[in-house]
Coordinates of all heavy atoms in Angstrom, one line a residue:
M30 N 23.4 1.9 -2.8 CA 24.0 1.2 -4.0 C 23.2 1.6 -5.3 O 23.8 1.9 -6.3 CB 23.8 -0.3 -3.8 CG 24.3 -1.1 -5.0 SD 25.5 -2.3 -4.5 CE 25.3 -3.4 -5.8
I31 N 21.9 1.6 -5.2 CA 21.1 2.1 -6.3 C 21.3 3.6 -6.6 O 21.5 4.0 -7.7 CB 19.6 1.8 -6.1 CG1 19.3 0.3 -6.0 CG2 18.7 2.4 -7.2 CD1 17.9 -0.1 -5.6
R32 N 21.4 4.3 -5.5 CA 21.7 5.8 -5.6 C 23.0 6.0 -6.3 O 23.1 6.9 -7.2 CB 21.6 6.5 -4.3 CG 21.9 7.9 -4.4 CD 21.8 8.6 -3.1 NE 22.9 8.3 -2.2 CZ 23.3 9.0 -1.1 NH1 22.5 9.9 -0.7 NH2 24.3 8.6 -0.5
A33 N 24.0 5.3 -6.0 CA 25.3 5.4 -6.6 C 25.3 5.1 -8.1 O 25.9 5.7 -8.9 CB 26.4 4.5 -5.9
A34 N 24.5 4.0 -8.4 CA 24.3 3.7 -9.9 C 23.6 4.8 -10.6 O 24.0 5.1 -11.8 CB 23.6 2.3 -10.0
L35 N 22.6 5.4 -10.0 CA 21.9 6.4 -10.7 C 22.7 7.7 -10.9 O 22.7 8.3 -11.9 CB 20.6 6.8 -9.9 CG 19.5 5.7 -9.9 CD1 18.4 6.1 -8.9 CD2 18.9 5.5 -11.3
I36 N 23.5 8.0 -9.8 CA 24.5 9.1 -9.9 C 25.5 8.9 -11.0 O 25.8 9.8 -11.8 CB 25.1 9.4 -8.6 CG1 24.1 10.0 -7.6 CG2 26.3 10.3 -8.7 CD1 24.5 10.1 -6.2
A37 N 26.0 7.7 -11.1 CA 27.0 7.3 -12.2 C 26.3 7.4 -13.5 O 27.0 7.9 -14.5 CB 27.5 5.9 -11.9
L38 N 25.1 7.1 -13.7 CA 24.4 7.2 -14.9 C 24.2 8.6 -15.4 O 24.5 9.0 -16.5 CB 23.0 6.5 -14.8 CG 22.2 6.4 -16.1 CD1 22.8 5.5 -17.0 CD2 20.8 6.0 -15.7
V39 N 23.9 9.5 -14.4 CA 23.7 10.9 -14.7 C 25.1 11.5 -15.1 O 25.2 12.3 -16.0 CB 23.1 11.7 -13.6 CG1 23.1 13.2 -13.8 CG2 21.6 11.2 -13.4
K40 N 26.1 11.2 -14.3 CA 27.5 11.7 -14.6 C 27.9 11.2 -16.0 O 28.6 11.9 -16.7 CB 28.5 11.3 -13.5 CG 28.2 12.1 -12.3 CD 29.3 11.7 -11.2 CE 29.1 12.6 -10.0 NZ 30.1 12.3 -8.9
G41 N 27.6 9.9 -16.3 CA 28.0 9.4 -17.7 C 27.3 10.2 -18.8 O 27.9 10.5 -19.8
Y42 N 26.0 10.5 -18.5 CA 25.2 11.4 -19.5 C 25.9 12.7 -19.7 O 26.1 13.2 -20.8 CB 23.8 11.6 -19.0 CG 23.1 12.7 -19.7 CD1 22.6 12.6 -21.0 CD2 23.0 14.0 -19.1 CE1 22.0 13.6 -21.7 CE2 22.4 15.0 -19.7 CZ 21.9 14.9 -21.0 OH 21.4 15.9 -21.7
R43 N 26.3 13.3 -18.6 CA 27.0 14.6 -18.6 C 28.3 14.6 -19.3 O 28.7 15.5 -20.0 CB 27.1 15.2 -17.2 CG 25.8 15.5 -16.5 CD 26.0 16.1 -15.2 NE 26.3 17.6 -15.4 CZ 26.5 18.4 -14.4 NH1 26.4 18.0 -13.2 NH2 26.8 19.7 -14.6
L44 N 29.0 13.5 -19.2 CA 30.3 13.4 -19.8 C 30.2 13.0 -21.3 O 31.0 13.5 -22.1 CB 31.1 12.3 -19.0 CG 32.5 12.0 -19.5 CD1 33.4 13.2 -19.3 CD2 33.1 10.8 -18.9
L45 N 29.3 12.1 -21.6 CA 29.3 11.5 -23.0 C 28.3 12.1 -23.9 O 28.6 12.3 -25.1 CB 29.1 10.0 -22.9 CG 30.2 9.2 -22.1 CD1 29.8 7.8 -21.9 CD2 31.5 9.4 -22.7
L46 N 27.1 12.3 -23.4 CA 26.0 12.8 -24.3 C 25.8 14.3 -24.3 O 25.5 14.9 -25.3 CB 24.7 12.1 -24.0 CG 24.6 10.6 -24.3 CD1 23.3 10.0 -23.8 CD2 24.8 10.4 -25.8
S47 N 25.8 14.9 -23.1 CA 25.5 16.3 -23.0 C 26.4 17.2 -23.9 O 25.8 18.1 -24.5 CB 25.6 16.7 -21.5 OG 25.2 18.1 -21.4
P48 N 27.7 17.0 -24.0 CA 28.4 17.8 -24.9 C 28.0 17.8 -26.4 O 28.0 18.8 -27.1 CB 29.9 17.3 -24.8 CG 29.9 16.6 -23.5 CD 28.5 16.0 -23.3
W49 N 27.5 16.6 -26.8 CA 27.0 16.5 -28.2 C 25.6 17.1 -28.4 O 25.3 17.6 -29.5 CB 26.9 15.0 -28.6 CG 28.3 14.4 -28.8 CD1 29.5 15.0 -28.6 CD2 28.5 13.1 -29.3 NE1 30.5 14.1 -28.8 CE2 29.9 12.9 -29.3 CE3 27.7 12.0 -29.6 CZ2 30.5 11.7 -29.6 CZ3 28.3 10.8 -30.0 CH2 29.7 10.7 -30.0
L50 N 24.8 17.0 -27.4 CA 23.4 17.5 -27.5 C 23.3 19.0 -27.3 O 22.4 19.6 -27.7 CB 22.5 16.8 -26.5 CG 22.3 15.3 -26.6 CD1 21.5 14.8 -25.5 CD2 21.7 15.0 -27.9
G51 N 24.3 19.6 -26.6 CA 24.3 21.0 -26.4 C 23.5 21.4 -25.2 O 22.7 20.6 -24.7
S52 N 23.6 22.6 -24.8 CA 22.9 23.1 -23.6 C 21.5 23.6 -24.1 O 21.4 24.6 -24.8 CB 23.6 24.2 -22.9 OG 22.9 24.7 -21.8
S53 N 20.5 22.9 -23.7 CA 19.1 23.3 -24.1 C 18.1 23.3 -22.9 O 17.0 23.5 -23.1 CB 18.6 22.3 -25.1 OG 18.5 21.0 -24.6
C54 N 18.6 23.2 -21.7 CA 17.8 23.2 -20.5 C 17.3 24.6 -20.2 O 18.0 25.6 -20.3 CB 18.5 22.6 -19.3 SG 17.4 22.3 -17.9
R55 N 16.0 24.7 -19.9 CA 15.4 26.0 -19.7 C 15.5 26.4 -18.2 O 15.0 27.5 -17.8 CB 13.9 25.9 -20.1 CG 13.7 25.6 -21.5 CD 12.3 25.5 -21.9 NE 12.1 25.2 -23.3 CZ 12.3 26.1 -24.3 NH1 12.6 27.4 -23.9 NH2 12.1 25.8 -25.5
F56 N 16.0 25.5 -17.4 CA 16.1 25.8 -15.9 C 17.5 26.0 -15.5 O 18.4 25.6 -16.1 CB 15.5 24.6 -15.2 CG 14.0 24.4 -15.3 CD1 13.5 23.4 -16.2 CD2 13.1 25.3 -14.7 CE1 12.1 23.3 -16.3 CE2 11.7 25.1 -14.8 CZ 11.3 24.1 -15.6
T57 N 17.6 26.6 -14.3 CA 18.8 26.8 -13.6 C 18.6 26.2 -12.2 O 17.7 26.6 -11.5 CB 19.3 28.2 -13.4 OG1 19.3 28.8 -14.7 CG2 20.6 28.4 -12.7
P58 N 19.3 25.2 -11.7 CA 20.4 24.5 -12.4 C 19.9 23.6 -13.5 O 18.7 23.3 -13.6 CB 21.0 23.6 -11.3 CG 19.9 23.4 -10.3 CD 19.1 24.7 -10.4
S59 N 20.8 23.2 -14.4 CA 20.4 22.3 -15.5 C 19.7 21.0 -15.0 O 19.9 20.7 -13.8 CB 21.6 22.0 -16.3 OG 22.5 21.1 -15.6
C60 N 19.0 20.4 -15.8 CA 18.3 19.2 -15.4 C 19.2 18.1 -14.8 O 18.9 17.4 -13.9 CB 17.4 18.6 -16.5 SG 16.0 19.7 -16.9
S61 N 20.4 17.9 -15.4 CA 21.3 16.9 -15.0 C 21.9 17.3 -13.6 O 22.1 16.5 -12.7 CB 22.4 16.7 -16.0 OG 23.2 17.8 -16.3
A62 N 22.3 18.6 -13.4 CA 22.8 19.1 -12.1 C 21.7 18.9 -11.1 O 21.9 18.5 -9.9 CB 23.2 20.5 -12.2
Y63 N 20.4 19.2 -11.4 CA 19.3 19.1 -10.5 C 19.2 17.6 -10.1 O 18.9 17.3 -8.9 CB 18.0 19.6 -11.3 CG 16.8 19.5 -10.5 CD1 16.3 20.6 -9.8 CD2 16.0 18.4 -10.4 CE1 15.1 20.6 -9.1 CE2 14.8 18.3 -9.7 CZ 14.4 19.5 -9.0 OH 13.2 19.4 -8.3
S64 N 19.3 16.7 -11.1 CA 19.2 15.3 -10.8 C 20.2 14.8 -9.8 O 19.9 14.1 -8.9 CB 19.3 14.5 -12.1 OG 19.2 13.1 -11.8
L65 N 21.5 15.3 -10.0 CA 22.6 14.9 -9.1 C 22.3 15.4 -7.7 O 22.4 14.7 -6.7 CB 23.9 15.4 -9.6 CG 24.5 14.7 -10.8 CD1 25.7 15.5 -11.3 CD2 24.8 13.3 -10.5
Q66 N 21.8 16.7 -7.6 CA 21.5 17.2 -6.3 C 20.4 16.5 -5.6 O 20.4 16.2 -4.4 CB 21.2 18.7 -6.4 CG 22.3 19.6 -6.8 CD 21.9 21.0 -7.1 OE1 20.8 21.4 -6.8 NE2 22.8 21.8 -7.7
A67 N 19.3 16.2 -6.4 CA 18.2 15.5 -5.8 C 18.5 14.1 -5.4 O 18.1 13.6 -4.3 CB 17.1 15.4 -6.9
L68 N 19.3 13.4 -6.1 CA 19.7 12.0 -5.7 C 20.6 12.0 -4.5 O 20.5 11.2 -3.6 CB 20.5 11.3 -6.9 CG 19.6 10.9 -8.1 CD1 20.5 10.6 -9.3 CD2 18.7 9.8 -7.7
E69 N 21.5 13.0 -4.4 CA 22.4 13.1 -3.2 C 21.6 13.5 -2.0 O 21.9 13.0 -0.9 CB 23.5 14.1 -3.5 CG 24.5 13.5 -4.5 CD 25.6 14.5 -5.0 OE1 25.5 15.7 -4.6 OE2 26.4 14.2 -5.8
R70 N 20.7 14.4 -2.2 CA 19.9 15.0 -1.0 C 18.8 14.0 -0.5 O 18.6 13.9 0.7 CB 19.4 16.3 -1.4 CG 18.8 17.1 -0.2 CD 18.3 18.4 -0.6 NE 19.4 19.2 -1.1 CZ 19.3 20.4 -1.7 NH1 18.2 20.9 -1.9 NH2 20.4 21.0 -2.1
H71 N 18.1 13.4 -1.5 CA 16.9 12.7 -1.1 C 16.9 11.2 -1.3 O 16.0 10.5 -1.1 CB 15.7 13.3 -1.8 CG 15.5 14.7 -1.5 ND1 15.1 15.1 -0.3 CD2 15.5 15.8 -2.3 CE1 15.0 16.5 -0.3 NE2 15.2 16.9 -1.5
G72 N 18.0 10.6 -1.9 CA 18.1 9.2 -2.1 C 17.6 8.8 -3.5 O 17.1 9.6 -4.2
A73 N 17.7 7.5 -3.7 CA 17.3 7.0 -5.0 C 15.8 7.1 -5.4 O 15.5 7.6 -6.5 CB 17.7 5.5 -5.1
G74 N 14.9 6.7 -4.5 CA 13.5 6.8 -4.8 C 13.0 8.2 -4.9 O 12.4 8.6 -6.0
A75 N 13.1 9.0 -3.9 CA 12.5 10.3 -3.9 C 13.3 11.2 -4.9 O 12.8 12.1 -5.5 CB 12.6 10.9 -2.5
G76 N 14.6 11.0 -5.0 CA 15.5 11.8 -5.9 C 15.0 11.5 -7.3 O 15.0 12.4 -8.2
T77 N 14.7 10.3 -7.7 CA 14.3 9.9 -9.0 C 12.9 10.5 -9.2 O 12.6 11.1 -10.3 CB 14.2 8.4 -9.2 OG1 15.5 7.9 -9.0 CG2 13.7 8.0 -10.5
Y78 N 12.0 10.5 -8.2 CA 10.7 11.1 -8.4 C 10.8 12.6 -8.7 O 10.2 13.1 -9.7 CB 9.9 10.9 -7.1 CG 8.6 11.7 -7.1 CD1 7.5 11.3 -7.9 CD2 8.5 12.8 -6.3 CE1 6.3 12.0 -7.9 CE2 7.3 13.6 -6.3 CZ 6.3 13.2 -7.1 OH 5.1 13.9 -7.1
V79 N 11.6 13.4 -7.9 CA 11.6 14.8 -8.2 C 12.4 15.1 -9.5 O 12.0 16.0 -10.2 CB 12.3 15.6 -7.0 CG1 11.4 15.6 -5.8 CG2 13.6 15.2 -6.7
T80 N 13.3 14.2 -9.9 CA 14.0 14.4 -11.2 C 13.0 14.2 -12.3 O 13.0 15.0 -13.3 CB 15.2 13.4 -11.3 OG1 16.2 13.7 -10.3 CG2 15.8 13.5 -12.7
L81 N 12.2 13.2 -12.2 CA 11.2 12.9 -13.3 C 10.2 14.0 -13.4 O 9.8 14.4 -14.5 CB 10.5 11.5 -13.1 CG 11.5 10.3 -13.3 CD1 10.7 9.0 -13.0 CD2 12.0 10.3 -14.7
T82 N 9.7 14.6 -12.2 CA 8.8 15.7 -12.3 C 9.4 16.9 -12.9 O 8.7 17.6 -13.7 CB 8.2 16.0 -10.9 OG1 9.3 16.4 -10.0 CG2 7.4 14.9 -10.3
R83 N 10.7 17.1 -12.7 CA 11.4 18.2 -13.3 C 11.5 18.0 -14.8 O 11.3 18.9 -15.6 CB 12.8 18.4 -12.7 CG 13.8 19.2 -13.4 CD 13.4 20.7 -13.3 NE 14.4 21.5 -13.9 CZ 15.5 22.0 -13.3 NH1 15.6 21.8 -12.0 NH2 16.4 22.7 -13.9
L84 N 11.9 16.8 -15.2 CA 12.0 16.5 -16.7 C 10.7 16.6 -17.4 O 10.7 17.1 -18.6 CB 12.6 15.1 -16.9 CG 14.1 14.9 -16.5 CD1 14.4 13.4 -16.6 CD2 15.0 15.8 -17.3
V85 N 9.6 16.3 -16.8 CA 8.3 16.5 -17.4 C 8.0 18.0 -17.7 O 7.4 18.3 -18.7 CB 7.2 15.8 -16.6 CG1 5.8 16.2 -17.0 CG2 7.3 14.3 -16.6
R86 N 8.5 18.8 -16.7 CA 8.2 20.3 -16.9 C 9.2 20.9 -17.9 O 8.9 22.0 -18.3 CB 8.4 21.0 -15.5 CG 7.4 20.6 -14.5 CD 7.4 21.5 -13.3 NE 8.8 21.9 -12.9 CZ 9.4 21.3 -11.8 NH1 8.8 20.4 -11.1 NH2 10.6 21.7 -11.5
C87 N 10.2 20.3 -18.3 CA 11.3 20.8 -19.2 C 10.8 20.6 -20.6 O 11.2 19.5 -21.2 CB 12.6 20.3 -18.9 SG 14.0 21.1 -19.7
H88 N 10.1 21.5 -21.2 CA 9.7 21.3 -22.6 C 9.7 22.7 -23.3 O 9.8 23.7 -22.6 CB 8.3 20.7 -22.7 CG 7.3 21.4 -21.8 ND1 6.6 22.6 -22.2 CD2 6.7 21.1 -20.6 CE1 5.8 22.9 -21.3 NE2 5.8 22.0 -20.3
P89 N 9.5 22.8 -24.6 CA 9.6 24.1 -25.3 C 8.6 25.1 -24.9 O 8.9 26.3 -25.1 CB 9.4 23.7 -26.8 CG 9.7 22.3 -26.8 CD 9.4 21.7 -25.5
W90 N 7.5 24.8 -24.3 CA 6.5 25.8 -23.9 C 6.6 26.2 -22.5 O 5.8 27.0 -22.0 CB 5.1 25.2 -24.2 CG 4.9 24.8 -25.6 CD1 4.7 25.6 -26.7 CD2 5.1 23.5 -26.2 NE1 4.7 24.9 -27.9 CE2 4.9 23.6 -27.6 CE3 5.4 22.2 -25.6 CZ2 5.0 22.5 -28.4 CZ3 5.5 21.2 -26.5 CH2 5.3 21.3 -27.9
C91 N 7.6 25.8 -21.8 CA 7.8 26.1 -20.4 C 8.7 27.4 -20.3 O 9.7 27.5 -21.1 CB 8.5 25.0 -19.7 SG 8.9 25.3 -18.0
E92 N 8.4 28.3 -19.4 CA 9.2 29.5 -19.2 C 10.6 29.1 -18.7 O 11.6 29.8 -19.0 CB 8.5 30.5 -18.3 CG 7.4 31.3 -18.9 CD 7.0 32.3 -18.0 OE1 7.8 32.9 -17.2 OE2 5.7 32.6 -18.0
G93 N 10.7 28.1 -17.8 CA 11.9 27.8 -17.2 C 12.2 28.7 -16.0 O 11.3 29.2 -15.4
G94 N 13.5 29.0 -15.8 CA 13.9 29.9 -14.7 C 14.6 29.1 -13.6 O 15.0 28.0 -13.8
H95 N 14.8 29.8 -12.5 CA 15.5 29.2 -11.3 C 14.5 28.2 -10.7 O 13.4 28.6 -10.3 CB 15.9 30.3 -10.4 CG 16.7 29.8 -9.2 ND1 17.9 29.2 -9.4 CD2 16.4 29.8 -7.9 CE1 18.4 28.8 -8.2 NE2 17.5 29.2 -7.3
D96 N 15.0 27.0 -10.5 CA 14.2 25.9 -9.9 C 15.1 25.0 -9.1 O 15.5 24.0 -9.6 CB 13.5 25.1 -11.0 CG 12.6 24.0 -10.5 OD1 12.1 24.2 -9.3 OD2 12.4 23.0 -11.2
P97 N 15.4 25.3 -7.9 CA 16.3 24.5 -7.1 C 15.6 23.2 -6.6 O 14.4 23.2 -6.5 CB 16.7 25.4 -5.9 CG 15.5 26.3 -5.8 CD 15.0 26.5 -7.2
V98 N 16.4 22.3 -6.2 CA 15.9 21.0 -5.6 C 15.3 21.4 -4.2 O 15.9 22.1 -3.4 CB 17.1 20.0 -5.3 CG1 16.5 18.8 -4.6 CG2 17.7 19.7 -6.6
P99 N 14.1 21.0 -4.0 CA 13.4 21.3 -2.7 C 14.1 20.6 -1.5 O 14.5 19.5 -1.6 CB 12.0 20.8 -2.9 CG 12.1 19.7 -3.9 CD 13.2 20.1 -4.8
D100 N 14.2 21.4 -0.4 CA 14.7 20.8 0.8 C 13.7 19.9 1.4 O 14.0 18.9 2.0 CB 15.1 21.8 1.8 CG 16.3 22.6 1.4 OD1 17.2 22.0 0.7 OD2 16.4 23.8 1.7
D101 N 12.4 20.3 1.3 CA 11.3 19.6 1.9 C 10.4 19.0 0.8 O 9.8 19.7 0.0 CB 10.5 20.6 2.7 CG 9.6 20.0 3.7 OD1 9.7 18.8 3.9 OD2 8.7 20.7 4.2
L102 N 10.4 17.7 0.7 CA 9.6 17.1 -0.4 C 8.2 17.0 0.0 O 7.8 16.6 1.1 CB 10.2 15.7 -0.7 CG 11.5 15.6 -1.4 CD1 11.8 14.1 -1.7 CD2 11.5 16.4 -2.7
Q103 N 7.3 17.3 -1.0 CA 5.9 17.1 -0.9 C 5.4 16.1 -1.9 O 4.7 16.4 -2.9 CB 5.2 18.5 -1.2 CG 5.6 19.6 -0.2 CD 5.2 19.3 1.2 OE1 4.2 18.7 1.5 NE2 6.1 19.6 2.1
A104 N 5.9 14.9 -1.7 CA 5.5 13.8 -2.6 C 4.1 13.3 -2.4 O 3.5 13.5 -1.3 CB 6.4 12.6 -2.3
P105 N 3.4 12.8 -3.4 CA 2.0 12.3 -3.2 C 2.0 11.2 -2.2 O 3.0 10.6 -1.9 CB 1.7 11.7 -4.6 CG 2.6 12.4 -5.5 CD 3.9 12.7 -4.8
G106 N 0.9 11.0 -1.5 CA 0.8 10.1 -0.4 C 1.3 8.7 -0.7 O 1.9 8.1 0.1
W107 N 1.1 8.2 -1.9 CA 1.5 6.9 -2.3 C 3.0 6.8 -2.4 O 3.6 5.7 -2.5 CB 0.8 6.3 -3.5 CG 1.0 7.1 -4.7 CD1 0.3 8.3 -5.1 CD2 1.9 6.9 -5.8 NE1 0.7 8.8 -6.3 CE2 1.7 7.9 -6.7 CE3 2.8 5.9 -6.0 CZ2 2.4 8.0 -7.9 CZ3 3.5 6.0 -7.2 CH2 3.4 7.0 -8.1
L108 N 3.7 7.9 -2.5 CA 5.2 7.9 -2.6 C 5.9 8.4 -1.4 O 7.1 8.5 -1.4 CB 5.6 8.8 -3.8 CG 5.3 8.3 -5.2 CD1 5.6 9.3 -6.2 CD2 6.1 7.0 -5.5
T109 N 5.2 8.7 -0.3 CA 5.9 9.2 0.9 C 6.9 8.3 1.5 O 7.8 8.7 2.1 CB 4.9 9.6 2.0 OG1 4.0 8.5 2.3 CG2 4.0 10.8 1.5
H110 N 6.7 7.0 1.3 CA 7.7 6.0 1.8 C 9.1 6.1 1.1 O 10.1 5.6 1.6 CB 7.2 4.6 1.7 CG 7.0 4.1 0.3 ND1 6.0 4.5 -0.5 CD2 7.8 3.3 -0.4 CE1 6.1 3.9 -1.6 NE2 7.2 3.2 -1.6
L111 N 9.1 6.8 0.0 CA 10.4 7.0 -0.8 C 11.3 8.1 -0.2 O 12.4 8.2 -0.6 CB 10.1 7.3 -2.3 CG 9.4 6.2 -3.0 CD1 9.1 6.6 -4.5 CD2 10.2 4.9 -3.0
I112 N 10.7 9.0 0.6 CA 11.5 10.1 1.1 C 12.5 9.5 2.1 O 12.1 8.8 3.0 CB 10.6 11.1 1.8 CG1 9.7 11.7 0.7 CG2 11.4 12.2 2.4 CD1 8.6 12.7 1.2
S113 N 13.7 9.8 2.0 CA 14.8 9.3 2.8 C 14.6 9.8 4.3 O 14.1 10.9 4.5 CB 16.1 9.6 2.3 OG 16.4 11.0 2.4
P114 N 15.1 9.0 5.2 CA 15.0 9.4 6.6 C 15.8 10.7 6.9 O 15.4 11.5 7.7 CB 15.7 8.2 7.4 CG 15.6 7.1 6.5 CD 15.6 7.6 5.1
L115 N 16.9 11.0 6.1 CA 17.6 12.2 6.2 C 16.8 13.4 5.9 O 16.8 14.4 6.6 CB 18.9 12.1 5.3 CG 19.8 13.3 5.3 CD1 20.4 13.5 6.7 CD2 20.9 13.1 4.3
S116 N 15.9 13.3 4.9 CA 15.0 14.4 4.5 C 14.0 14.6 5.6 O 13.7 15.8 5.9 CB 14.3 14.0 3.2 OG 15.1 13.8 2.2
K117 N 13.5 13.6 6.2 CA 12.6 13.7 7.3 C 13.2 14.4 8.5 O 12.5 15.2 9.2 CB 12.0 12.4 7.7 CG 11.1 11.8 6.6 CD 10.5 10.5 7.1 CE 9.7 9.8 6.0 NZ 9.2 8.5 6.4
K118 N 14.4 14.1 8.8 CA 15.1 14.7 10.0 C 15.3 16.2 9.8 O 15.2 17.0 10.7 CB 16.4 14.0 10.3 CG 16.3 12.6 10.8 CD 17.6 12.0 11.1 CE 17.5 10.6 11.5 NZ 18.7 9.9 11.6
K119 N 15.6 16.6 8.5 CA 15.8 18.0 8.3 C 14.6 18.8 8.5 O 14.6 19.9 8.9 CB 16.3 18.2 6.8 CG 17.7 17.8 6.6 CD 18.1 18.1 5.2 CE 19.5 17.6 4.9 NZ 19.9 17.9 3.5
S120 N 13.4 18.3 8.1 CA 12.2 19.0 8.2 C 11.6 19.1 9.6 O 10.7 19.8 9.9 CB 11.2 18.5 7.2 OG 10.8 17.2 7.5
S121 N 12.1 18.2 10.5 CA 11.6 18.2 11.8 C 12.1 19.3 12.7 O 13.1 19.8 12.6 CB 11.9 16.9 12.5 OG 11.4 15.8 11.8

């Protein structure tokens, strides 16, 4: 339920705000596409975590480049409970 709300929020951003702001992301896929993939693949908690770490890296002094959503999350110890069971099964 939370994941669906976050996905709807990102899709709303892509539909309403992104066309006005223009394409300025330094990464491929774009930060919004990355966010959608992360939320779908890793769930609300871990997907939000990797999205936020990506957004922190997206700044004018960053080189950017190809940066896909990781299949295997390496979250800090205090966030490991946020990794979805589906992610854990893939890595086993």
Side-chain angles (χ1 to χ4, degrees):
M30 177 125 155
I31 294 173
R32 180 175 73 165
L35 291 170
I36 289 172
L38 186 67
V39 173
K40 286 183 176 182
Y42 163 79
R43 292 183 81 175
L44 180 68
L45 301 174
L46 290 177
S47 185
W49 289 5
L50 298 175
S52 178
S53 61
C54 190
R55 300 178 177 285
F56 291 104
T57 303
S59 69
C60 290
S61 59
Y63 182 96
S64 178
L65 289 173
Q66 291 173 13
L68 290 167
E69 289 171 356
R70 189 175 299 168
H71 299 297
T77 299
Y78 170 75
V79 294
T80 296
L81 291 176
T82 59
R83 166 73 175 269
L84 290 174
V85 167
R86 292 191 321 257
C87 192
H88 54 76
W90 302 281
C91 176
E92 281 188 37
H95 184 65
D96 182 30
V98 176
D100 288 329
D101 196 13
L102 287 183
Q103 299 299 320
W107 59 277
L108 288 175
T109 54
H110 68 282
L111 296 177
I112 299 173
S113 69
L115 182 59
S116 302
K117 289 179 183 177
K118 287 179 185 174
K119 285 182 181 178
S120 64
S121 297

